[in-house]
Amino acid sequence: AVASLPDAAHCLDARARGASARRLRAEDRVAVAAVETRLQQADALLRAGLYADALTEARAAVAAAAALGLPQVEAQARLALGRALAETGALVDSERELRATAKLAAGAGDDITEAASWIDLLDVVADAQRPDESLAMAPLVEAAVERAGSPAALRAALAFSAAVIRIEAGRYAEAHPFLERALAIWTDELDPSHPEVARVLNTMGNLASYRGDYDDAVTRYGQALARREAALGPSHPGVASVLANLADLELDRGHAARSLERCQRALAILEATTGGDPRGREHALRCIGSAQAQLGRLELAHAALTAAVAIGEGDGAAGRTGFLVYDLTALAGVECARGQPARALALVDRALALAVNKTDRRAMVAVRGRALNDLGRGAEVEAELAAALAVFDGRPDDRAALEFELARALWPDRGARARARTLATAARERYAAAGQTRELERVDAWLRARG
C-alpha cells in the first residue's frame, strides 16, 4: 500500500487535481470520495492478486463515476477497469477501456491519467501480438509522458513497456537498454525495494534466457523471486510467474526433475487464485508437459500439453495467440517422440501460421524438420533449416535442434555427409553442455548408426 502512493508533487499540480480542484457541491464531494474509495479497494485487490474481485470493484467504480458526469473521475475509474481486465486476460475489453480512458483524461486536462492509460495500452497491444502497431505507438506514448511532466514513475513504466514491445518483436538487443533504464529509475529516483522492481528483474531474466545467457537469467530470476516472496508472500500469482520462468530455465539446462517441482508449485498457486489471466496456468502446464517429456513420461507430457493448448485456444478468442504457439510446438515435439510425426507436422505448421515473432518461428522450424525427417521427407525442409540456422541467435539447445535436423535432412546426399557429421557433432556438444540427456542420446544413437 505504501509503495503504491503517488508522487507528492502530483497532489500539488492543479492540472492533475482536476475535479477535486473544482468547487463541488457537498453531495458531489461525498460521491467522488466514494468512487475514490472503490478505486483504492480495486487497486489493493489487484496488487494482492485477487483479480476477479478487483474487476468487480472496478466495474462498480466506473458505474458510479459515470453517473457523476465528471470526466476526470470517470477516466481514473476506467483506467482501473482497463488494468483489471488486462490481468484477467480480457485484452479486447481492456484495450477498449484504455482508449476511452485516454480520451476522457485528455478532455479533462488530466495529463497524468492520460499518459498512464497510453502506457497500459501499449502493453496490451504488445500482449495481443501486434508488435508493429505497438512500436508505431511508442512515440505518441512518449509525448504523452512528456506532457504529464515526465514524473519518474511514468518514465520507469514507459522504459519497461518500451523493452517489452521490442522483446515481443524479437528485437532482443534493443530491449536491454530500456530495462536497464527502468531499473535505474526505480533504484535512483523511486524505491529500489518496490515490488515493481521484481517485474523488471523478471523480464531481464526472460531476455537473458532468450539470448542463451543462463547464468545471468538465474541471477535475475532469483532476485525477482526473493523480492516478490518478501513483498507479496509465497502464494501470490506474481511468485508463480517467476517460478514458471525458473522452471523453464531449469529445463533448458537439463534439470527436468527440478523444473517439474517448480512448475507444479506454480500451478498449485495459480489454481488457488481464481480470476487471474489463464496464461499463467497455460504456462505452468506447458512447463509441466515439457519437463515430463524430458523425463521420458510421454503420456503425462501429452496430457499436460493438451490441456495447455485448450487454454491457449480459448485465449485466442481474448485477442492473442502468443502462448498457444509455444504449446503447439511443445506438443508437436512430444508427438514426434511418441512416433506420430504426421500429427506433429500438423501441430507445428499451425504454430508457424500463428507465430509473429521471427525468432520463435526459427525455433519451430527444428520441430518441423524432425517431423518431416521422421516421415522420410527431409529434402522438403533442408533449405528452411539451413536458412533458419544461418540467422539464428537464440538458445544453444534450439540451435542444436536445427543443426541435428539439418544433418538428418542432408544425410541421404552422399556428397553432403561430411557436413552432416559436422553439424550432428556440433549439436551433440551443445546438448552435452546444456545437460539435455535425452536429446544427447538421440544424437549419439544416430551417429553410431552411421559409423
Side-chain angles (χ1 to χ4, degrees), residues 304-357:
L305 290 169
T306 300
V309 166
I311 295 174
E313 287 172 336
D315 205 30
R320 62 186 166 210
T321 54
F323 274 23
L324 177 59
V325 165
Y326 303 131
D327 304 334
L328 291 167
T329 305
L331 184 57
V334 169
E335 291 289 24
C336 280
R338 294 171 81 217
Q340 300 291 339
R343 291 183 192 173
L345 183 61
L347 289 165
V348 77
D349 280 348
R350 186 180 169 203
L352 283 163
L354 293 170
V356 175
N357 188 320

Side-chain angles (χ1 to χ4, degrees), residues 1-5 7 152-153 156 182-201 227 231:
V2 174
S4 67
L5 288 170
D7 190 322
L183 187 60
I185 294 170
W186 279 109
T187 302
D188 300 337
E189 300 180 54
L190 293 166
D191 179 5
S193 62
H194 194 290
E196 190 69 14
V197 176
R199 187 162 74 132
V200 179
L201 292 167
R227 285 172 183 268

Side-chain angles (χ1 to χ4, degrees), residues 420-440:
R421 284 195 186 93
T422 300
L423 286 165
T425 302
R428 185 195 185 285
E429 291 172 356
R430 294 186 206 281
Y431 280 136
Q436 297 279 9
T437 306
R438 290 185 63 82
E439 295 305 315
L440 179 62

Side-chain angles (χ1 to χ4, degrees), residues 156-362:
L158 178 60
F160 178 79
S161 296
V164 169
I165 63 177
R166 284 162 176 79
I167 291 171
E168 291 293 338
R171 293 160 62 169
Y172 299 146
E174 296 175 24
H176 190 262
F178 287 101
L179 289 173
E180 292 285 0
R181 185 183 304 171
L183 187 60
I185 294 170
W186 279 109
T187 302
D188 300 337
E189 300 180 54
L190 293 166
D191 179 5
S193 62
H194 194 290
E196 190 69 14
V197 176
R199 187 162 74 132
V200 179
L201 292 167
N202 187 45
T203 304
M204 284 181 158
N206 290 343
L207 185 56
S209 176
Y210 299 156
R211 301 178 75 180
D213 189 349
Y214 295 149
D215 290 339
D216 186 45
V218 167
T219 300
R220 299 298 190 181
Y221 286 147
Q223 292 169 339
L225 184 62
R227 285 172 183 268
R228 283 193 172 163
E229 286 184 328
L232 305 172
S235 300
H236 192 280
V239 170
S241 67
V242 185
L243 283 171
N245 287 336
L246 268 170
D248 285 340
L249 190 62
E250 297 283 13
L251 203 62
D252 292 336
R253 304 173 89 189
H255 304 150
R258 197 182 307 166
S259 172
L260 182 60
E261 181 181 348
R262 289 189 190 276
C263 47
Q264 285 175 333
R265 182 187 162 199
L267 184 61
I269 291 171
L270 293 166
E271 288 181 339
T273 308
T274 58
D277 187 338
R279 288 187 312 160
R281 295 191 301 280
E282 182 184 354
H283 183 184
L285 283 165
R286 182 174 66 253
C287 170
I288 288 170
S290 299
Q292 297 284 28
Q294 202 170 104
L295 290 166
R297 304 166 185 166
L298 298 181
E299 297 311 310
L300 290 173
H302 188 271
L305 290 169
T306 300
V309 166
I311 295 174
E313 287 172 336
D315 205 30
R320 62 186 166 210
T321 54
F323 274 23
L324 177 59
V325 165
Y326 303 131
D327 304 334
L328 291 167
T329 305
L331 184 57
V334 169
E335 291 289 24
C336 280
R338 294 171 81 217
Q340 300 291 339
R343 291 183 192 173
L345 183 61
L347 289 165
V348 77
D349 280 348
R350 186 180 169 203
L352 283 163
L354 293 170
V356 175
N357 188 320
K358 292 180 180 179
T359 303
D360 291 339
R361 288 179 61 84
R362 293 198 294 264

